[in-house]
Amino acid sequence: MSRLSNLRSVGHKLYSGEMEYDFVGRQKRWYAVSALILILAVGGLLGRGLSKGIEFEGGAVYTVSKPGITVSQAHEAINEYTGDHEPIVQKVGGDKVRIQIASKDTAKFNDIKNALSNKLGVSQNNIESELVGPSWGKEISNKAMQGLVIFMILVVIYLTVAFEWRMALAAFVALVHDIVITVGVYALVGFEVTPGTVIGLLTILGYSLYDTVVVFDTVRENTRSITKQNKMTFSAAANRGLNQTLVRSINTSVVALLPVGSLLFVGGGLLGAGMLKDIALSLFVGLAAGAFSSIFIATPLYADMKERTPEMRALKKRVEQHQAAQAKAAAKAAAAGEPAADTAADHDADDEDEDDDGEPAGAGSGTRTPGPRRQPVSNRSRASRNRPGGKRKH
């Protein structure tokens, strides 16, 4: 209970601004970590390449009928014919085993059938065999790529209309980041790419985008009138919005990863479920990459682009001047033995007396509290002072 209360306390402090972690200010660090992960992913993709399943590369499917047959017996019977591809062996019913071997070499089709017949001790009449060509998998690949491109275009259009083009660009970079990492992990671990992989990949894009949009919405609220004050830069306000949604992002990611991890490690690892394992791996890696990118990539990248605009440069300059004035006032107060807060307030009041147009500098900004003003001199008193000799009429 104490740990739970501590976690709630941390979440409240992050939301209220009492506690903050500078994600945006350390953006170069996150970019470096992300670049390292991407290099490993691209290296695995270019080095080992993707291991395509039977649906994409073609191959053969055998269904063996024999009472008491086990998955391990079927594995031993076809080990010498599998090559670099891990065969998918599944129990179908009580007395059947289904074997999938992905391979472009269909010349060994009959040899594998004969080996299964001899090693498992069954007649060839009890072995159903089927060749699968790669044309169907190629068509699925093209459709998946078309769907991915259409999804990206719609995402960019929606975010540009709902937010702005810089947010759309940052979200697009985060999505590409997640895709490359997920595909690279598939290449590194050697999992076969199946239609289940494509389904999982398209699913994580929506989840990653959702997490990014939640953060962006909070950042937009925090920076709506950012130029009307001089105490916080755009990056600081964006970082506060990111901290406010941090606990929510972590909670949703953990809750989503727990069942997916169960599918991957229990369903895929212990039970040996083929397509279940493929979907779970893409979801697990994609969800983790999406949580990382929404916190460490999308928002810092958006803040970096926004800080380059003339308005935010001018704001940053005003904030720096305001902070320097406060520091000077605090030092002066410390030397005089006065409270620093009072001196700073007097300094703000002096600064706000008049701007270049003769109007209060803080008018409409809502960021400073004007100090005591001098009372205007009445017309009668002004007239009496203007008389010759400076004497007033009693």
PDB file of all heavy atoms in Angstrom, residues 182 185-186 191-192 194 196-201 203-204 256-269 273-288:
ATOM      1  N   THR A 182      10.488  -2.777 -35.075  1.00  0.00           N
ATOM      2  CA  THR A 182       9.753  -4.050 -35.031  1.00  0.00           C
ATOM      3  C   THR A 182      10.234  -5.003 -36.118  1.00  0.00           C
ATOM      4  O   THR A 182      10.487  -6.191 -35.857  1.00  0.00           O
ATOM      5  CB  THR A 182       8.244  -3.797 -35.188  1.00  0.00           C
ATOM      6  OG1 THR A 182       7.811  -2.864 -34.196  1.00  0.00           O
ATOM      7  CG2 THR A 182       7.458  -5.082 -35.047  1.00  0.00           C
ATOM      8  N   VAL A 185      13.746  -6.308 -35.273  1.00  0.00           N
ATOM      9  CA  VAL A 185      13.755  -7.353 -34.245  1.00  0.00           C
ATOM     10  C   VAL A 185      13.367  -8.697 -34.853  1.00  0.00           C
ATOM     11  O   VAL A 185      13.944  -9.743 -34.503  1.00  0.00           O
ATOM     12  CB  VAL A 185      12.808  -6.971 -33.087  1.00  0.00           C
ATOM     13  CG1 VAL A 185      12.584  -8.156 -32.156  1.00  0.00           C
ATOM     14  CG2 VAL A 185      13.372  -5.796 -32.314  1.00  0.00           C
ATOM     15  N   TYR A 186      12.416  -8.702 -35.765  1.00  0.00           N
ATOM     16  CA  TYR A 186      12.053  -9.942 -36.450  1.00  0.00           C
ATOM     17  C   TYR A 186      13.245 -10.533 -37.182  1.00  0.00           C
ATOM     18  O   TYR A 186      13.452 -11.748 -37.197  1.00  0.00           O
ATOM     19  CB  TYR A 186      10.907  -9.687 -37.438  1.00  0.00           C
ATOM     20  CG  TYR A 186       9.563 -10.118 -36.918  1.00  0.00           C
ATOM     21  CD1 TYR A 186       8.817  -9.281 -36.118  1.00  0.00           C
ATOM     22  CD2 TYR A 186       9.050 -11.378 -37.198  1.00  0.00           C
ATOM     23  CE1 TYR A 186       7.584  -9.671 -35.624  1.00  0.00           C
ATOM     24  CE2 TYR A 186       7.832 -11.786 -36.703  1.00  0.00           C
ATOM     25  CZ  TYR A 186       7.097 -10.928 -35.922  1.00  0.00           C
ATOM     26  OH  TYR A 186       5.898 -11.337 -35.430  1.00  0.00           O
ATOM     27  N   PHE A 191      12.418 -14.861 -36.360  1.00  0.00           N
ATOM     28  CA  PHE A 191      11.017 -15.281 -36.458  1.00  0.00           C
ATOM     29  C   PHE A 191      10.536 -15.136 -37.899  1.00  0.00           C
ATOM     30  O   PHE A 191      10.940 -14.228 -38.616  1.00  0.00           O
ATOM     31  CB  PHE A 191      10.143 -14.411 -35.553  1.00  0.00           C
ATOM     32  CG  PHE A 191      10.031 -14.928 -34.150  1.00  0.00           C
ATOM     33  CD1 PHE A 191      11.120 -15.504 -33.521  1.00  0.00           C
ATOM     34  CD2 PHE A 191       8.855 -14.837 -33.448  1.00  0.00           C
ATOM     35  CE1 PHE A 191      11.038 -15.974 -32.225  1.00  0.00           C
ATOM     36  CE2 PHE A 191       8.749 -15.301 -32.148  1.00  0.00           C
ATOM     37  CZ  PHE A 191       9.848 -15.869 -31.541  1.00  0.00           C
ATOM     38  N   GLU A 192       9.676 -16.069 -38.315  1.00  0.00           N
ATOM     39  CA  GLU A 192       9.146 -16.007 -39.663  1.00  0.00           C
ATOM     40  C   GLU A 192       8.057 -14.950 -39.781  1.00  0.00           C
ATOM     41  O   GLU A 192       7.243 -14.771 -38.868  1.00  0.00           O
ATOM     42  CB  GLU A 192       8.593 -17.368 -40.091  1.00  0.00           C
ATOM     43  CG  GLU A 192       9.668 -18.392 -40.366  1.00  0.00           C
ATOM     44  CD  GLU A 192       9.109 -19.633 -41.029  1.00  0.00           C
ATOM     45  OE1 GLU A 192       7.871 -19.799 -41.025  1.00  0.00           O
ATOM     46  OE2 GLU A 192       9.902 -20.436 -41.551  1.00  0.00           O
ATOM     47  N   THR A 194       4.746 -13.835 -41.150  1.00  0.00           N
ATOM     48  CA  THR A 194       3.511 -14.474 -41.608  1.00  0.00           C
ATOM     49  C   THR A 194       2.406 -13.418 -41.696  1.00  0.00           C
ATOM     50  O   THR A 194       2.624 -12.259 -41.313  1.00  0.00           O
ATOM     51  CB  THR A 194       3.093 -15.582 -40.618  1.00  0.00           C
ATOM     52  OG1 THR A 194       2.762 -14.975 -39.362  1.00  0.00           O
ATOM     53  CG2 THR A 194       4.216 -16.589 -40.420  1.00  0.00           C
ATOM     54  N   GLY A 196       0.060 -13.138 -39.747  1.00  0.00           N
ATOM     55  CA  GLY A 196      -0.110 -12.683 -38.369  1.00  0.00           C
ATOM     56  C   GLY A 196       0.832 -11.542 -38.022  1.00  0.00           C
ATOM     57  O   GLY A 196       0.477 -10.627 -37.267  1.00  0.00           O
ATOM     58  N   THR A 197       2.042 -11.566 -38.585  1.00  0.00           N
ATOM     59  CA  THR A 197       2.988 -10.477 -38.371  1.00  0.00           C
ATOM     60  C   THR A 197       2.455  -9.182 -38.951  1.00  0.00           C
ATOM     61  O   THR A 197       2.563  -8.113 -38.329  1.00  0.00           O
ATOM     62  CB  THR A 197       4.334 -10.820 -39.020  1.00  0.00           C
ATOM     63  OG1 THR A 197       4.797 -12.084 -38.539  1.00  0.00           O
ATOM     64  CG2 THR A 197       5.360  -9.750 -38.723  1.00  0.00           C
ATOM     65  N   VAL A 198       1.904  -9.250 -40.143  1.00  0.00           N
ATOM     66  CA  VAL A 198       1.346  -8.061 -40.786  1.00  0.00           C
ATOM     67  C   VAL A 198       0.187  -7.500 -39.961  1.00  0.00           C
ATOM     68  O   VAL A 198       0.072  -6.282 -39.765  1.00  0.00           O
ATOM     69  CB  VAL A 198       0.885  -8.399 -42.216  1.00  0.00           C
ATOM     70  CG1 VAL A 198       0.255  -7.169 -42.880  1.00  0.00           C
ATOM     71  CG2 VAL A 198       2.058  -8.900 -43.049  1.00  0.00           C
ATOM     72  N   ILE A 199      -0.663  -8.379 -39.459  1.00  0.00           N
ATOM     73  CA  ILE A 199      -1.800  -7.946 -38.627  1.00  0.00           C
ATOM     74  C   ILE A 199      -1.288  -7.235 -37.367  1.00  0.00           C
ATOM     75  O   ILE A 199      -1.771  -6.159 -37.000  1.00  0.00           O
ATOM     76  CB  ILE A 199      -2.678  -9.147 -38.256  1.00  0.00           C
ATOM     77  CG1 ILE A 199      -3.339  -9.727 -39.501  1.00  0.00           C
ATOM     78  CG2 ILE A 199      -3.738  -8.745 -37.235  1.00  0.00           C
ATOM     79  CD1 ILE A 199      -4.057 -11.034 -39.261  1.00  0.00           C
ATOM     80  N   GLY A 200      -0.301  -7.827 -36.716  1.00  0.00           N
ATOM     81  CA  GLY A 200       0.248  -7.214 -35.515  1.00  0.00           C
ATOM     82  C   GLY A 200       0.918  -5.890 -35.795  1.00  0.00           C
ATOM     83  O   GLY A 200       0.803  -4.935 -35.019  1.00  0.00           O
ATOM     84  N   LEU A 201       1.607  -5.796 -36.926  1.00  0.00           N
ATOM     85  CA  LEU A 201       2.300  -4.561 -37.287  1.00  0.00           C
ATOM     86  C   LEU A 201       1.317  -3.427 -37.521  1.00  0.00           C
ATOM     87  O   LEU A 201       1.530  -2.296 -37.054  1.00  0.00           O
ATOM     88  CB  LEU A 201       3.156  -4.793 -38.534  1.00  0.00           C
ATOM     89  CG  LEU A 201       4.078  -3.651 -38.965  1.00  0.00           C
ATOM     90  CD1 LEU A 201       5.110  -3.383 -37.891  1.00  0.00           C
ATOM     91  CD2 LEU A 201       4.759  -3.975 -40.288  1.00  0.00           C
ATOM     92  N   THR A 203      -1.601  -3.219 -36.275  1.00  0.00           N
ATOM     93  CA  THR A 203      -2.273  -2.927 -35.006  1.00  0.00           C
ATOM     94  C   THR A 203      -1.454  -1.981 -34.136  1.00  0.00           C
ATOM     95  O   THR A 203      -1.996  -1.053 -33.524  1.00  0.00           O
ATOM     96  CB  THR A 203      -2.539  -4.226 -34.225  1.00  0.00           C
ATOM     97  OG1 THR A 203      -3.334  -5.102 -35.025  1.00  0.00           O
ATOM     98  CG2 THR A 203      -3.268  -3.947 -32.932  1.00  0.00           C
ATOM     99  N   ILE A 204      -0.144  -2.194 -34.073  1.00  0.00           N
ATOM    100  CA  ILE A 204       0.678  -1.361 -33.196  1.00  0.00           C
ATOM    101  C   ILE A 204       0.764   0.069 -33.697  1.00  0.00           C
ATOM    102  O   ILE A 204       0.985   0.999 -32.906  1.00  0.00           O
ATOM    103  CB  ILE A 204       2.100  -1.940 -33.053  1.00  0.00           C
ATOM    104  CG1 ILE A 204       2.801  -1.934 -34.412  1.00  0.00           C
ATOM    105  CG2 ILE A 204       2.062  -3.318 -32.449  1.00  0.00           C
ATOM    106  CD1 ILE A 204       4.289  -2.061 -34.335  1.00  0.00           C
ATOM    107  N   ALA A 256      -1.163  -3.008 -21.472  1.00  0.00           N
ATOM    108  CA  ALA A 256      -1.237  -3.634 -22.789  1.00  0.00           C
ATOM    109  C   ALA A 256      -0.159  -4.697 -22.976  1.00  0.00           C
ATOM    110  O   ALA A 256      -0.381  -5.724 -23.632  1.00  0.00           O
ATOM    111  CB  ALA A 256      -1.110  -2.571 -23.878  1.00  0.00           C
ATOM    112  N   LEU A 257       1.024  -4.475 -22.390  1.00  0.00           N
ATOM    113  CA  LEU A 257       2.128  -5.414 -22.578  1.00  0.00           C
ATOM    114  C   LEU A 257       1.950  -6.711 -21.786  1.00  0.00           C
ATOM    115  O   LEU A 257       2.460  -7.760 -22.197  1.00  0.00           O
ATOM    116  CB  LEU A 257       3.451  -4.757 -22.175  1.00  0.00           C
ATOM    117  CG  LEU A 257       4.034  -3.746 -23.161  1.00  0.00           C
ATOM    118  CD1 LEU A 257       5.224  -3.017 -22.546  1.00  0.00           C
ATOM    119  CD2 LEU A 257       4.448  -4.427 -24.460  1.00  0.00           C
ATOM    120  N   LEU A 258       1.253  -6.662 -20.667  1.00  0.00           N
ATOM    121  CA  LEU A 258       1.090  -7.865 -19.844  1.00  0.00           C
ATOM    122  C   LEU A 258       0.371  -8.994 -20.583  1.00  0.00           C
ATOM    123  O   LEU A 258       0.895 -10.118 -20.653  1.00  0.00           O
ATOM    124  CB  LEU A 258       0.364  -7.510 -18.543  1.00  0.00           C
ATOM    125  CG  LEU A 258       1.194  -6.739 -17.513  1.00  0.00           C
ATOM    126  CD1 LEU A 258       0.335  -6.369 -16.303  1.00  0.00           C
ATOM    127  CD2 LEU A 258       2.406  -7.560 -17.067  1.00  0.00           C
ATOM    128  N   PRO A 259      -0.808  -8.768 -21.164  1.00  0.00           N
ATOM    129  CA  PRO A 259      -1.446  -9.879 -21.894  1.00  0.00           C
ATOM    130  C   PRO A 259      -0.696 -10.272 -23.153  1.00  0.00           C
ATOM    131  O   PRO A 259      -0.657 -11.457 -23.507  1.00  0.00           O
ATOM    132  CB  PRO A 259      -2.845  -9.336 -22.215  1.00  0.00           C
ATOM    133  CG  PRO A 259      -2.711  -7.860 -22.174  1.00  0.00           C
ATOM    134  CD  PRO A 259      -1.677  -7.579 -21.133  1.00  0.00           C
ATOM    135  N   VAL A 260      -0.095  -9.286 -23.830  1.00  0.00           N
ATOM    136  CA  VAL A 260       0.673  -9.620 -25.034  1.00  0.00           C
ATOM    137  C   VAL A 260       1.901 -10.448 -24.671  1.00  0.00           C
ATOM    138  O   VAL A 260       2.271 -11.400 -25.378  1.00  0.00           O
ATOM    139  CB  VAL A 260       1.077  -8.326 -25.772  1.00  0.00           C
ATOM    140  CG1 VAL A 260       2.011  -8.646 -26.930  1.00  0.00           C
ATOM    141  CG2 VAL A 260      -0.158  -7.604 -26.286  1.00  0.00           C
ATOM    142  N   GLY A 261       2.542 -10.093 -23.542  1.00  0.00           N
ATOM    143  CA  GLY A 261       3.674 -10.892 -23.087  1.00  0.00           C
ATOM    144  C   GLY A 261       3.262 -12.312 -22.737  1.00  0.00           C
ATOM    145  O   GLY A 261       4.019 -13.263 -22.974  1.00  0.00           O
ATOM    146  N   SER A 262       2.067 -12.478 -22.192  1.00  0.00           N
ATOM    147  CA  SER A 262       1.568 -13.822 -21.905  1.00  0.00           C
ATOM    148  C   SER A 262       1.375 -14.621 -23.184  1.00  0.00           C
ATOM    149  O   SER A 262       1.709 -15.807 -23.254  1.00  0.00           O
ATOM    150  CB  SER A 262       0.248 -13.730 -21.134  1.00  0.00           C
ATOM    151  OG  SER A 262       0.429 -13.060 -19.909  1.00  0.00           O
ATOM    152  N   LEU A 263       0.836 -13.964 -24.212  1.00  0.00           N
ATOM    153  CA  LEU A 263       0.678 -14.641 -25.503  1.00  0.00           C
ATOM    154  C   LEU A 263       2.025 -15.063 -26.083  1.00  0.00           C
ATOM    155  O   LEU A 263       2.172 -16.146 -26.634  1.00  0.00           O
ATOM    156  CB  LEU A 263      -0.038 -13.716 -26.487  1.00  0.00           C
ATOM    157  CG  LEU A 263      -1.534 -13.475 -26.287  1.00  0.00           C
ATOM    158  CD1 LEU A 263      -2.031 -12.458 -27.290  1.00  0.00           C
ATOM    159  CD2 LEU A 263      -2.309 -14.772 -26.426  1.00  0.00           C
ATOM    160  N   LEU A 264       3.012 -14.170 -25.943  1.00  0.00           N
ATOM    161  CA  LEU A 264       4.312 -14.434 -26.553  1.00  0.00           C
ATOM    162  C   LEU A 264       5.083 -15.523 -25.814  1.00  0.00           C
ATOM    163  O   LEU A 264       5.563 -16.487 -26.435  1.00  0.00           O
ATOM    164  CB  LEU A 264       5.129 -13.136 -26.580  1.00  0.00           C
ATOM    165  CG  LEU A 264       6.561 -13.245 -27.132  1.00  0.00           C
ATOM    166  CD1 LEU A 264       6.541 -13.720 -28.572  1.00  0.00           C
ATOM    167  CD2 LEU A 264       7.275 -11.902 -27.001  1.00  0.00           C
ATOM    168  N   PHE A 265       5.204 -15.405 -24.497  1.00  0.00           N
ATOM    169  CA  PHE A 265       6.074 -16.308 -23.740  1.00  0.00           C
ATOM    170  C   PHE A 265       5.366 -17.593 -23.315  1.00  0.00           C
ATOM    171  O   PHE A 265       5.987 -18.646 -23.251  1.00  0.00           O
ATOM    172  CB  PHE A 265       6.632 -15.578 -22.516  1.00  0.00           C
ATOM    173  CG  PHE A 265       7.457 -14.384 -22.868  1.00  0.00           C
ATOM    174  CD1 PHE A 265       6.993 -13.102 -22.618  1.00  0.00           C
ATOM    175  CD2 PHE A 265       8.691 -14.532 -23.470  1.00  0.00           C
ATOM    176  CE1 PHE A 265       7.751 -11.987 -22.950  1.00  0.00           C
ATOM    177  CE2 PHE A 265       9.460 -13.429 -23.811  1.00  0.00           C
ATOM    178  CZ  PHE A 265       8.981 -12.149 -23.549  1.00  0.00           C
ATOM    179  N   VAL A 266       4.081 -17.487 -23.022  1.00  0.00           N
ATOM    180  CA  VAL A 266       3.340 -18.682 -22.608  1.00  0.00           C
ATOM    181  C   VAL A 266       2.735 -19.377 -23.827  1.00  0.00           C
ATOM    182  O   VAL A 266       2.991 -20.556 -24.092  1.00  0.00           O
ATOM    183  CB  VAL A 266       2.238 -18.323 -21.586  1.00  0.00           C
ATOM    184  CG1 VAL A 266       1.444 -19.562 -21.216  1.00  0.00           C
ATOM    185  CG2 VAL A 266       2.845 -17.692 -20.355  1.00  0.00           C
ATOM    186  N   GLY A 267       1.943 -18.616 -24.597  1.00  0.00           N
ATOM    187  CA  GLY A 267       1.294 -19.210 -25.757  1.00  0.00           C
ATOM    188  C   GLY A 267       2.265 -19.632 -26.831  1.00  0.00           C
ATOM    189  O   GLY A 267       2.197 -20.740 -27.368  1.00  0.00           O
ATOM    190  N   GLY A 268       3.220 -18.732 -27.155  1.00  0.00           N
ATOM    191  CA  GLY A 268       4.173 -19.048 -28.217  1.00  0.00           C
ATOM    192  C   GLY A 268       5.319 -19.914 -27.755  1.00  0.00           C
ATOM    193  O   GLY A 268       5.733 -20.838 -28.454  1.00  0.00           O
ATOM    194  N   GLY A 269       5.864 -19.607 -26.574  1.00  0.00           N
ATOM    195  CA  GLY A 269       7.035 -20.340 -26.119  1.00  0.00           C
ATOM    196  C   GLY A 269       6.721 -21.718 -25.584  1.00  0.00           C
ATOM    197  O   GLY A 269       7.362 -22.699 -25.972  1.00  0.00           O
ATOM    198  N   ALA A 273       2.459 -22.266 -30.300  1.00  0.00           N
ATOM    199  CA  ALA A 273       1.443 -21.820 -31.255  1.00  0.00           C
ATOM    200  C   ALA A 273       2.090 -20.917 -32.298  1.00  0.00           C
ATOM    201  O   ALA A 273       2.631 -19.875 -31.962  1.00  0.00           O
ATOM    202  CB  ALA A 273       0.324 -21.090 -30.527  1.00  0.00           C
ATOM    203  N   GLY A 274       2.045 -21.310 -33.551  1.00  0.00           N
ATOM    204  CA  GLY A 274       2.762 -20.618 -34.606  1.00  0.00           C
ATOM    205  C   GLY A 274       2.306 -19.196 -34.850  1.00  0.00           C
ATOM    206  O   GLY A 274       3.018 -18.235 -34.567  1.00  0.00           O
ATOM    207  N   MET A 275       1.099 -19.010 -35.390  1.00  0.00           N
ATOM    208  CA  MET A 275       0.642 -17.672 -35.731  1.00  0.00           C
ATOM    209  C   MET A 275       0.432 -16.831 -34.476  1.00  0.00           C
ATOM    210  O   MET A 275       0.631 -15.624 -34.495  1.00  0.00           O
ATOM    211  CB  MET A 275      -0.647 -17.735 -36.544  1.00  0.00           C
ATOM    212  CG  MET A 275      -1.141 -16.372 -37.006  1.00  0.00           C
ATOM    213  SD  MET A 275      -2.396 -16.426 -38.288  1.00  0.00           S
ATOM    214  CE  MET A 275      -1.452 -17.029 -39.669  1.00  0.00           C
ATOM    215  N   LEU A 276       0.040 -17.452 -33.394  1.00  0.00           N
ATOM    216  CA  LEU A 276      -0.113 -16.724 -32.132  1.00  0.00           C
ATOM    217  C   LEU A 276       1.207 -16.098 -31.717  1.00  0.00           C
ATOM    218  O   LEU A 276       1.257 -14.956 -31.238  1.00  0.00           O
ATOM    219  CB  LEU A 276      -0.615 -17.679 -31.050  1.00  0.00           C
ATOM    220  CG  LEU A 276      -1.022 -17.064 -29.717  1.00  0.00           C
ATOM    221  CD1 LEU A 276      -2.220 -16.157 -29.884  1.00  0.00           C
ATOM    222  CD2 LEU A 276      -1.327 -18.158 -28.707  1.00  0.00           C
ATOM    223  N   LYS A 277       2.280 -16.833 -31.908  1.00  0.00           N
ATOM    224  CA  LYS A 277       3.606 -16.332 -31.569  1.00  0.00           C
ATOM    225  C   LYS A 277       3.998 -15.172 -32.477  1.00  0.00           C
ATOM    226  O   LYS A 277       4.591 -14.180 -32.011  1.00  0.00           O
ATOM    227  CB  LYS A 277       4.621 -17.470 -31.697  1.00  0.00           C
ATOM    228  CG  LYS A 277       6.042 -17.091 -31.366  1.00  0.00           C
ATOM    229  CD  LYS A 277       6.945 -18.310 -31.428  1.00  0.00           C
ATOM    230  CE  LYS A 277       6.961 -18.924 -32.821  1.00  0.00           C
ATOM    231  NZ  LYS A 277       7.891 -20.071 -32.914  1.00  0.00           N
ATOM    232  N   ASP A 278       3.674 -15.249 -33.753  1.00  0.00           N
ATOM    233  CA  ASP A 278       4.014 -14.186 -34.693  1.00  0.00           C
ATOM    234  C   ASP A 278       3.290 -12.887 -34.370  1.00  0.00           C
ATOM    235  O   ASP A 278       3.884 -11.806 -34.373  1.00  0.00           O
ATOM    236  CB  ASP A 278       3.680 -14.618 -36.125  1.00  0.00           C
ATOM    237  CG  ASP A 278       4.429 -15.887 -36.521  1.00  0.00           C
ATOM    238  OD1 ASP A 278       5.523 -16.105 -35.970  1.00  0.00           O
ATOM    239  OD2 ASP A 278       3.908 -16.652 -37.343  1.00  0.00           O
ATOM    240  N   ILE A 279       2.009 -12.976 -34.092  1.00  0.00           N
ATOM    241  CA  ILE A 279       1.232 -11.782 -33.742  1.00  0.00           C
ATOM    242  C   ILE A 279       1.737 -11.192 -32.431  1.00  0.00           C
ATOM    243  O   ILE A 279       1.897  -9.973 -32.290  1.00  0.00           O
ATOM    244  CB  ILE A 279      -0.265 -12.122 -33.635  1.00  0.00           C
ATOM    245  CG1 ILE A 279      -0.801 -12.569 -34.989  1.00  0.00           C
ATOM    246  CG2 ILE A 279      -1.060 -10.931 -33.129  1.00  0.00           C
ATOM    247  CD1 ILE A 279      -2.252 -13.011 -34.958  1.00  0.00           C
ATOM    248  N   ALA A 280       2.015 -12.050 -31.448  1.00  0.00           N
ATOM    249  CA  ALA A 280       2.417 -11.576 -30.130  1.00  0.00           C
ATOM    250  C   ALA A 280       3.757 -10.859 -30.181  1.00  0.00           C
ATOM    251  O   ALA A 280       3.947  -9.839 -29.507  1.00  0.00           O
ATOM    252  CB  ALA A 280       2.481 -12.748 -29.150  1.00  0.00           C
ATOM    253  N   LEU A 281       4.713 -11.368 -30.969  1.00  0.00           N
ATOM    254  CA  LEU A 281       6.029 -10.721 -31.026  1.00  0.00           C
ATOM    255  C   LEU A 281       5.921  -9.325 -31.634  1.00  0.00           C
ATOM    256  O   LEU A 281       6.500  -8.369 -31.112  1.00  0.00           O
ATOM    257  CB  LEU A 281       7.004 -11.574 -31.840  1.00  0.00           C
ATOM    258  CG  LEU A 281       8.401 -10.962 -31.986  1.00  0.00           C
ATOM    259  CD1 LEU A 281       9.072 -10.849 -30.627  1.00  0.00           C
ATOM    260  CD2 LEU A 281       9.270 -11.781 -32.943  1.00  0.00           C
ATOM    261  N   SER A 282       5.193  -9.194 -32.736  1.00  0.00           N
ATOM    262  CA  SER A 282       5.055  -7.875 -33.359  1.00  0.00           C
ATOM    263  C   SER A 282       4.330  -6.901 -32.435  1.00  0.00           C
ATOM    264  O   SER A 282       4.694  -5.727 -32.342  1.00  0.00           O
ATOM    265  CB  SER A 282       4.310  -8.000 -34.689  1.00  0.00           C
ATOM    266  OG  SER A 282       3.014  -8.545 -34.504  1.00  0.00           O
ATOM    267  N   LEU A 283       3.322  -7.385 -31.714  1.00  0.00           N
ATOM    268  CA  LEU A 283       2.609  -6.523 -30.775  1.00  0.00           C
ATOM    269  C   LEU A 283       3.504  -6.121 -29.603  1.00  0.00           C
ATOM    270  O   LEU A 283       3.524  -4.947 -29.197  1.00  0.00           O
ATOM    271  CB  LEU A 283       1.361  -7.233 -30.251  1.00  0.00           C
ATOM    272  CG  LEU A 283       0.184  -7.379 -31.217  1.00  0.00           C
ATOM    273  CD1 LEU A 283      -0.920  -8.191 -30.563  1.00  0.00           C
ATOM    274  CD2 LEU A 283      -0.342  -6.016 -31.642  1.00  0.00           C
ATOM    275  N   PHE A 284       4.241  -7.077 -29.060  1.00  0.00           N
ATOM    276  CA  PHE A 284       5.082  -6.795 -27.889  1.00  0.00           C
ATOM    277  C   PHE A 284       6.167  -5.779 -28.228  1.00  0.00           C
ATOM    278  O   PHE A 284       6.352  -4.783 -27.512  1.00  0.00           O
ATOM    279  CB  PHE A 284       5.706  -8.091 -27.381  1.00  0.00           C
ATOM    280  CG  PHE A 284       6.402  -7.953 -26.057  1.00  0.00           C
ATOM    281  CD1 PHE A 284       5.690  -8.056 -24.876  1.00  0.00           C
ATOM    282  CD2 PHE A 284       7.763  -7.716 -25.996  1.00  0.00           C
ATOM    283  CE1 PHE A 284       6.317  -7.927 -23.652  1.00  0.00           C
ATOM    284  CE2 PHE A 284       8.403  -7.576 -24.784  1.00  0.00           C
ATOM    285  CZ  PHE A 284       7.678  -7.684 -23.602  1.00  0.00           C
ATOM    286  N   VAL A 285       6.885  -6.019 -29.310  1.00  0.00           N
ATOM    287  CA  VAL A 285       7.963  -5.103 -29.696  1.00  0.00           C
ATOM    288  C   VAL A 285       7.384  -3.751 -30.114  1.00  0.00           C
ATOM    289  O   VAL A 285       7.907  -2.692 -29.749  1.00  0.00           O
ATOM    290  CB  VAL A 285       8.800  -5.709 -30.835  1.00  0.00           C
ATOM    291  CG1 VAL A 285       9.854  -4.715 -31.309  1.00  0.00           C
ATOM    292  CG2 VAL A 285       9.461  -6.993 -30.381  1.00  0.00           C
ATOM    293  N   GLY A 286       6.290  -3.772 -30.866  1.00  0.00           N
ATOM    294  CA  GLY A 286       5.699  -2.525 -31.334  1.00  0.00           C
ATOM    295  C   GLY A 286       5.143  -1.671 -30.211  1.00  0.00           C
ATOM    296  O   GLY A 286       5.294  -0.446 -30.219  1.00  0.00           O
ATOM    297  N   LEU A 287       4.503  -2.301 -29.218  1.00  0.00           N
ATOM    298  CA  LEU A 287       3.964  -1.548 -28.087  1.00  0.00           C
ATOM    299  C   LEU A 287       5.087  -0.907 -27.279  1.00  0.00           C
ATOM    300  O   LEU A 287       4.983   0.256 -26.855  1.00  0.00           O
ATOM    301  CB  LEU A 287       3.130  -2.460 -27.196  1.00  0.00           C
ATOM    302  CG  LEU A 287       1.780  -2.925 -27.758  1.00  0.00           C
ATOM    303  CD1 LEU A 287       1.130  -3.933 -26.826  1.00  0.00           C
ATOM    304  CD2 LEU A 287       0.855  -1.741 -27.975  1.00  0.00           C
ATOM    305  N   ALA A 288       6.155  -1.658 -27.054  1.00  0.00           N
ATOM    306  CA  ALA A 288       7.289  -1.102 -26.311  1.00  0.00           C
ATOM    307  C   ALA A 288       7.949   0.040 -27.085  1.00  0.00           C
ATOM    308  O   ALA A 288       8.267   1.095 -26.515  1.00  0.00           O
ATOM    309  CB  ALA A 288       8.304  -2.204 -26.015  1.00  0.00           C
TER     310      ALA A 288
END
